[in-house]
Amino acid sequence: MKNVVRLNSRLGYLLVCITIFLGGCATGTKTPATLADMKVVSSDEHFTIVELKRGQSIASLAEVFLGSAEEQWQIQEVNANENPGTGDLVAVPNTPVNASGIYHRSYRTLPILCYHQFTTTDSPAHKLELRAKDFEAQLRYLRDNEYQILSFAEAAEVMRGDRAMPKKGVVLTIDDGYDSVYDVAWPLLKKYKAKATLFIYSDFIGGGAALTWAELKEMGDSGLIEVESHGKSHASLAPLPEDKSEAGYKTRLAAELSASEAAFMARLGRPPAYLSYPYGNSSRIVADMLKDSGYGLAATVTRGANASFVDPFLLHRTMIYDDHQLDDFARFLSTSRSRPRP
Amino acid sequence: MNRCRVLGFFSTLVLLSSLAIQSTNAATSSNFVDAQIAAATAAKNRGDLARALALWRTVLSFDAENQAAKAAVNELEASSTNAAKGAYRRGAAAYKRGDNRSGDRWMLEALALNPSFEQALERLRRSSSDTSHTKQGEKITVAYENLASNAEEEEAASRSFLADMQALYSAGKYRDLLEASEDAPASAATDMKTLVHNSHLALAVQAAKRKDTETQIGHLEDAADTTVKSKASLQAHIKRLGTEVGSQAYKDGLALMKTDLDEAITSLEKAVRYMPDNLSAKEKLDQAQTLQRNLKRIRKN
């Protein structure tokens, strides 16, 4: 009898230990996953094969291996099972499988949107002035529909082929440098953690209705906002009658660009890396000049989204006007086009 | 004895568990490989060679010795590369004969077959760039022509306006010229400045002839506003004339103090206007104005 009692208590003790062990396994890890947490089964130059552990997902694999959960589409594209569970094997690409985004039936495109001014009132002064509530609705739309908002620097990586063309990407840009960017747009961009690129013309900054250099620096230092060039005086960078000759045109261009660069160096401590053309007007001469000066990208206001093979100094941008509804906005976010067959 | 049975029971449990785990791993691996191969086969069947290749490569990444995967990867690499090169050649030929649209489509075909085909991407990029520059060129040509046309129209209007103004000046119609100068086009501003300046000088001379010094001063001041070169000499002349007018007004004011206080104040105000630095004129004006206030108070009472 004594032996039976002793055995029962030992058995009970063992059962308790097993229960505690299984309970511990069930809860899983709550801290962000790291490479050490990953169960790598095998790897070669193309793919790393990972076994999903409890609590892990494709998103966590993307976070660890590709730098961001937003890149999980790259993993889904090369796995037959797009929603693997615990214990399943998942292939993670070691380099972008298709950086150009050109596929069998379609090719990916990157829309760039162009804003100017904002207002908190319900009566915009003109069609380039967007109501705050409409801008917020657009940002919310991007968030709810899982768009990846890229900076211009990230867009440059895509155009160079150093980064895969995102499945659902978008770039937000704001031209000129009006003070309503700081007063109205900036709080909303922070709220939705949305990146944006401001293209400012240096003659305007510090003027009556314009941002100040201090505000630009503050926004730039946040990591959400890039500040880039829109020239010096907002004069068209295409040939004008007053240029009289190609030499005169080049002289005027050089003056515009160098003055803008000097202002950036003096006020922000660095030259601009990207440019948006005033009025969207460009020419081969100015595009070559920008390339030779080390600019990475330049944007027009030609409506449309950008495939990976678009000229990086003639990027398309779609202007957003006050009278655009949300369904217009959604149409501007074209991230894919059917591939026409030969 | 019971202890042995219990130990035996748990040993069996552990053995069965480890067997179950091994079975799961084998099943998982098999599931993965089978699913990837099925997807690769389906992709190949619909002509999506690039995707088929990527999926077969995942199998090889998992199991480098998988013979089926090795064979499939080799075969797909060869076929997609060849097909992509063929598409590239057709595209290049299309560009050469000026059919950019067809050229673009063949380059896209090449890249769909082989996404890392750099040459095809570069060629496509060049075509896209040419198209974009052509469209930009069309856009800015229209803008340029509009600007140039506006500039020509403005210049023509400016020449015509200046001709009319020159005619007025030659005819001595200086006042008409000054009135018309209000409507001068911006492009005529520089030339008009000279005509306006000379008109004021001419009118100042006319005023001097009829001894209307105040009008003369007014026109000289307007002339000074429209010049830089002779501004200093004009201002000196204006000051001299102003002193003449002011001195006379001061004398008149002093003379009128006892007979007509209101007129005296008017003259003294003129004196101060033309001789703003003259303290005597200011003092006299203050005196006259104080006297006037006192008289008004007395009359009220």
Side-chain angles (χ1 to χ4, degrees):
Chain A
M1 189 61 182
K2 262 192 193 173
N3 286 342
V4 171
V5 168
R6 208 176 291 139
L7 176 63
N8 282 344
S9 56
R10 281 182 191 162
L11 188 61
Y13 176 72
L14 183 61
L15 283 170
V16 166
C17 288
I18 290 169
T19 307
I20 290 167
F21 172 73
L22 288 173
C25 289
T27 51
T29 180
K30 287 200 169 93
T31 53
T34 64
L35 195 55
D37 299 321
M38 297 292 145
K39 187 173 178 185
V40 174
V41 174
S42 60
S43 184
D44 67 5
E45 61 177 306
H46 296 292
F47 295 96
T48 297
I49 309 299
V50 181
E51 182 183 320
L52 273 188
K53 287 155 82 171
R54 195 183 299 274
Q56 291 176 347
S57 63
I58 282 189
S60 53
L61 293 189
E63 183 97 44
V64 170
F65 289 96
L66 303 180
S68 165
E70 286 181 319
E71 300 294 332
Q72 60 183 288
W73 62 269
Q74 291 198 55
I75 298 174
Q76 286 167 330
E77 276 197 349
V78 292
N79 284 275
N81 181 2
E82 289 189 8
N83 292 301
T86 305
D88 285 338
L89 298 180
V90 179
V92 179
N94 293 332
T95 54
V97 172
N98 191 337
S100 67
I102 299 169
Y103 294 86
H104 181 58
R105 291 217 167 94
S106 62
Y107 59 90
R108 298 243 166 91
T109 54
L110 180 65
I112 303 177
L113 307 180
C114 177
Y115 298 86
H116 286 78
Q117 286 177 270
F118 304 87
T119 178
T120 51
T121 71
D122 264 335
S123 314
H126 50 80
K127 71 176 188 173
L128 288 178
E129 193 171 59
L130 187 65
R131 274 166 272 224
K133 61 180 183 183
D134 291 339
F135 185 52
E136 181 163 16
Q138 291 170 9
L139 292 176
R140 199 181 307 119
Y141 182 91
L142 294 175
R143 181 199 63 190
D144 294 347
N145 289 277
E146 296 174 335
Y147 277 84
Q148 217 176 326
I149 303 178
L150 272 62
S151 64
F152 237 66
E154 289 165 335
E157 289 174 2
V158 171
M159 301 310 291
R160 282 197 306 265
D162 293 338
R163 182 190 181 108
M165 174 69 81
K167 192 172 182 180
K168 282 174 81 172
V170 66
V171 180
L172 306 180
T173 68
I174 310 174
D175 277 11
D176 296 341
Y178 283 95
D179 53 6
S180 60
V181 173
Y182 186 82
D183 299 333
V184 181
W186 173 225
L188 291 171
L189 291 166
K190 280 191 289 188
K191 180 179 175 183
Y192 289 88
K193 296 186 181 57
K195 298 174 203 169
T197 307
L198 307 188
F199 289 103
I200 59 106
Y201 63 103
S202 50
D203 278 357
F204 187 38
I205 302 304
L211 293 163
T212 65
W213 286 107
E215 287 166 342
L216 283 171
K217 191 163 188 322
E218 180 192 328
M219 289 190 283
D221 288 346
S222 72
L224 269 185
I225 305 294
E226 289 165 312
V227 181
E228 299 295 341
S229 176
H230 200 34
K232 168 189 176 287
S233 66
H234 207 281
S236 172
L237 299 183
L240 295 172
E242 52 258 43
D243 292 326
K244 305 267 193 256
S245 67
E246 186 174 303
Y249 172 46
K250 285 180 176 176
T251 302
R252 181 170 67 81
L253 285 180
E256 273 283 325
L257 296 178
S258 62
S260 166
E261 285 156 24
F264 270 70
M265 285 303 301
R267 299 295 195 157
L268 301 176
R270 56 150 185 97
Y274 314 109
L275 178 133
S276 76
Y277 300 107
Y279 313 107
N281 292 346
S282 172
S283 69
R284 283 192 194 273
I285 290 176
V286 68
D288 288 343
M289 204 178 263
L290 290 172
K291 207 181 306 181
D292 294 340
S293 302
Y295 286 78
L297 298 173
T300 67
V301 289
T302 305
R303 184 187 274 201
N306 300 277
S308 58
F309 47 84
V310 154
D311 188 323
F313 291 90
L314 287 174
L315 293 179
H316 301 155
R317 286 193 302 168
T318 303
M319 301 258 274
I320 302 297
Y321 295 122
D322 170 67
D323 56 359
H324 286 143
Q325 306 300 315
L326 203 58
D327 50 2
D328 297 312
F329 179 76
R331 276 189 297 105
F332 298 147
L333 297 172
S334 165
T335 55
S336 171
R337 292 189 74 177
S338 295
R339 181 172 72 84
R341 298 307 172 99
Chain B
M1 197 60 179
N2 283 342
R3 214 175 285 176
C4 289
R5 277 189 198 152
V6 167
L7 278 172
F9 169 73
F10 279 107
S11 299
T12 309
L13 198 65
V14 168
L15 181 65
L16 284 171
S17 299
S18 67
L19 281 173
I21 288 165
Q22 282 175 20
S23 298
T24 303
N25 282 344
T28 300
S29 304
S30 176
N31 286 345
F32 172 75
V33 169
D34 290 347
Q36 296 296 91
I37 290 174
T41 306
K44 189 189 171 190
N45 288 343
R46 61 174 184 266
D48 192 349
L49 303 187
R51 179 164 163 79
L53 179 57
L55 288 163
W56 273 114
R57 280 194 174 132
T58 65
V59 176
L60 219 46
S61 297
F62 173 65
D63 177 8
E65 297 310 314
N66 187 308
Q67 296 305 313
K70 276 186 183 176
V73 165
N74 287 339
E75 190 258 319
L76 281 166
E77 277 177 349
S79 55
S80 62
T81 301
N82 287 338
K85 282 182 181 170
Y88 178 85
R89 279 194 294 272
R90 287 188 173 198
Y95 286 133
K96 205 169 177 180
R97 63 176 184 266
D99 186 354
N100 288 350
R101 192 174 143 120
S102 192
D104 289 348
R105 290 176 180 210
W106 279 115
M107 290 304 160
L108 282 169
E109 175 81 8
L111 285 160
L113 289 161
N114 180 2
S116 53
F117 197 160
E118 279 297 327
Q119 230 175 330
L121 186 61
E122 198 41 53
R123 191 62 191 84
L124 187 57
R125 191 170 275 149
R126 207 170 348 130
S127 171
S128 170
S129 175
D130 288 343
T131 304
S132 294
H133 274 299
T134 301
K135 285 183 180 164
Q136 268 287 316
E138 286 164 4
K139 176 191 171 195
I140 64 173
T141 298
V142 169
Y144 185 100
E145 282 171 358
N146 283 341
L147 286 171
S149 158
N150 289 345
E152 272 174 25
E153 281 174 16
E154 273 183 29
E155 202 168 318
S158 171
R159 279 198 298 270
S160 167
F161 183 85
L162 284 171
D164 292 342
M165 294 300 104
Q166 195 64 49
L168 286 174
Y169 185 82
S170 301
K173 296 181 179 176
Y174 308 117
R175 289 185 203 287
D176 292 344
L177 184 152
L178 290 175
E179 197 176 316
S181 69
E182 304 283 329
D183 299 324
S187 52
T190 309
D191 294 317
M192 274 308 298
K193 217 171 179 180
T194 308
L195 281 172
V196 165
H197 173 78
N198 293 342
S199 297
H200 278 300
L201 286 178
L203 286 167
V205 166
Q206 286 178 0
K209 281 180 182 168
R210 62 178 188 269
K211 298 197 191 309
D212 182 356
T213 314
E214 286 183 64
T215 303
Q216 181 189 5
I217 289 170
H219 283 297
L220 287 173
E221 281 173 343
D222 287 337
D225 285 342
T226 53
T227 187
V228 174
K229 282 183 187 171
S230 52
K231 199 181 188 92
S233 62
L234 274 171
Q235 282 172 337
H237 188 39
I238 288 164
K239 195 168 182 182
R240 275 196 307 277
L241 289 172
T243 305
E244 277 178 33
V245 171
S247 299
Q248 186 57 51
Y250 180 67
K251 284 178 193 165
D252 293 342
L254 286 178
L256 287 164
M257 281 285 280
K258 288 181 182 173
T259 55
D260 190 339
L261 191 55
D262 291 339
E263 284 298 321
I265 287 171
T266 303
S267 290
L268 289 167
E269 281 173 344
K270 188 197 263 188
V272 168
R273 193 164 63 246
Y274 282 104
M275 298 186 300
D277 300 327
N278 190 306
L279 290 174
S280 303
K282 279 184 184 170
E283 275 175 19
K284 270 297 167 203
L285 178 59
D286 283 341
Q287 274 178 15
Q289 285 169 335
T290 304
L291 191 56
Q292 188 183 55
R293 281 195 298 275
N294 290 339
L295 282 173
K296 278 181 183 167
R297 208 177 299 127
I298 291 166
R299 279 173 200 147
K300 267 187 190 169
N301 293 340

